[in-house]
């Protein structure tokens, strides 16, 4: 199973991805990176409330972020042919589409929701577990929490 998480500039329709992380539970391989929004001229929306949640400042993105094109290439190279699990499918799908469309690149992996790896009762249990995790959101930590919560939900129902 490969899980993914994205952090974004906000939740509005003008928001865009600023951090992406993924991890493969079978191999332990993972990756995380920031995206410099300066690489896409129309990416200028910034929500300070979102910044409060993830703690990522625009200056950090400019200093350490890779280009949107590099992000697409990195994701396609690492995840080609895979089904990648997100616990916030609607949001993550929106931001991945924004990323790939901005670069005019086609993703070579498929994003799927939690319901593809957990039956309905375990999805409900996952939601209960996830609600109890309030902290600053960073993509790789969120991926680790997602994997742990999926495993805990599976064990609870077993």
């Amino acid at each position: 199973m490969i899980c993914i998480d994205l952090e974004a500039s906000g939740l509005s329709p003008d928001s865009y991805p600023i951090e992406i992380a993924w991890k493969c539970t079978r191999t332990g391989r993972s990756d995380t990176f920031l995206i410099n929004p300066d690489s896409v001229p129309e990416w200028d929306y910034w929500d300070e409330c979102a910044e409060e949640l993830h703690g990522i400042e625009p200056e950090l993105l400019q200093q350490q972020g890779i280009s949107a094109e590099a992000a697409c290439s990195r994701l396609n190279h690492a995840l080609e042919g895979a089904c990648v699990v997100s616990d916030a499918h609607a949001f993550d799908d929106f931001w991945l589409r924004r990323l790939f469309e901005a670069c005019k690149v086609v993703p070579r992996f498929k994003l799927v929701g939690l319901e593809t790896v957990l039956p309905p009762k375990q999805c409900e249990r996952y939601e209960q577990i996830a609600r109890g995790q309030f902290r600053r959101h960073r993509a790789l930590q969120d991926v680790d929490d997602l994997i742990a919560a999926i495993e805990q939900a599976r064990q609870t129902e077993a």
Side-chain angles (χ1 to χ4, degrees), residues 15-124:
S15 64
Y16 47 86
I18 61 169
E19 184 181 41
I20 301 177
W22 62 266
K23 185 177 232 175
C24 177
T25 59
R26 186 176 43 80
T27 65
R29 281 187 55 223
S30 67
D31 192 15
T32 184
F33 53 87
L34 298 170
I35 301 171
N36 185 346
D38 292 348
S39 65
V40 181
E42 59 271 12
W43 285 4
D44 57 9
Y45 171 81
W46 191 258
D47 183 339
E48 291 179 6
C49 292
E51 182 180 333
E52 284 290 317
L53 286 175
H54 51 61
I56 302 169
E57 298 176 347
E59 297 77 25
L60 182 64
L61 298 173
Q62 292 165 341
Q63 294 166 3
Q64 297 181 17
I66 64 174
S67 71
E69 293 83 5
C72 290
S73 176
R74 199 157 157 171
L75 288 167
N76 273 342
H77 177 74
L79 304 175
E80 184 168 4
C83 284
V84 182
V85 179
S86 166
D87 67 343
H89 184 264
F91 284 111
D92 290 345
D93 183 60
F94 171 76
W95 292 316
L96 282 172
R97 277 188 286 113
R98 292 243 26 217
L99 173 66
F100 279 86
E101 287 172 4
C103 299
K104 297 177 177 50
V105 174
V106 175
R108 295 193 305 248
F109 59 94
K110 182 179 179 182
L111 186 70
V112 297
L114 200 55
E115 68 282 353
T116 63
V117 295
L118 291 177
K121 273 195 172 220
Q122 290 178 353
C123 281
E124 289 172 22

